[in-house]
Amino acid sequence: QVQLVESGGGLVQAGGSLRLSCVASGRTFSTLAVGWFRQAPGKEREFVAVSIWNAGNTYYADSVKGRVTISRDNAKNTVYLQMNSLKPEDTAVYYCAASRIPGTRDSDYDYWGQGTQVTVSS
């Protein structure tokens, strides 16, 4: 069992920045990847970014590429999502998730946090 806790969300004006954190605990030894997803009101959950835990590989959705950076601190079991140049369309609940395989589909992920709200005002 893996527990994930997101933090760092909040209200920010368009053009601003936020850094989200995801702290993993429990039986994390089998985790290969930690990804970020988001879900806006009335929309399906959307892949944002993923970091392979014990490698340097990162992947980003086209919608956020160039504006977000995923990073990790393996010793702290923490993954960060730095978001810059935020737009109102980035408004969503952001979730982190842990997977034993790399992937961009939510069905690839075994454990999920409860989410943190990001609201971007115009």
Side-chain angles (χ1 to χ4, degrees):
Q1 191 74 244
V2 176
Q3 294 80 46
L4 302 170
V5 179
E6 305 97 332
S7 63
L11 175 64
V12 64
Q13 290 186 321
S17 298
L18 286 173
R19 189 180 73 158
L20 308 183
S21 299
C22 175
V23 180
S25 61
R27 300 174 68 249
T28 61
F29 59 88
S30 62
T31 298
L32 176 64
V34 175
W36 286 93
F37 293 77
R38 66 186 183 185
Q39 188 167 20
K43 298 181 68 176
E44 296 295 316
R45 187 173 291 174
E46 176 188 23
F47 168 76
V48 177
V50 62
S51 175
I52 309 303
W53 198 253
N54 293 318
N57 306 77
T58 59
Y59 301 93
Y60 300 93
D62 290 341
S63 60
V64 301
K65 192 174 297 182
R67 299 190 295 116
V68 309
T69 302
I70 190 169
S71 60
R72 64 193 183 277
D73 185 335
N74 288 353
K76 297 181 179 179
N77 283 336
T78 301
V79 173
Y80 305 96
L81 188 72
Q82 178 69 45
M83 303 190 294
N84 302 318
S85 301
L86 285 164
K87 305 174 181 179
E89 49 263 45
D90 294 317
T91 295
V93 177
Y94 284 71
Y95 301 89
C96 67
S99 176
R100 292 169 292 177
I101 60 172
T104 59
R105 296 181 175 182
D106 54 10
S107 59
D108 294 327
Y109 289 79
D110 305 297
Y111 304 100
W112 293 82
Q114 291 189 324
T116 185
Q117 176 72 47
V118 172
T119 302
V120 184
S121 63
S122 59

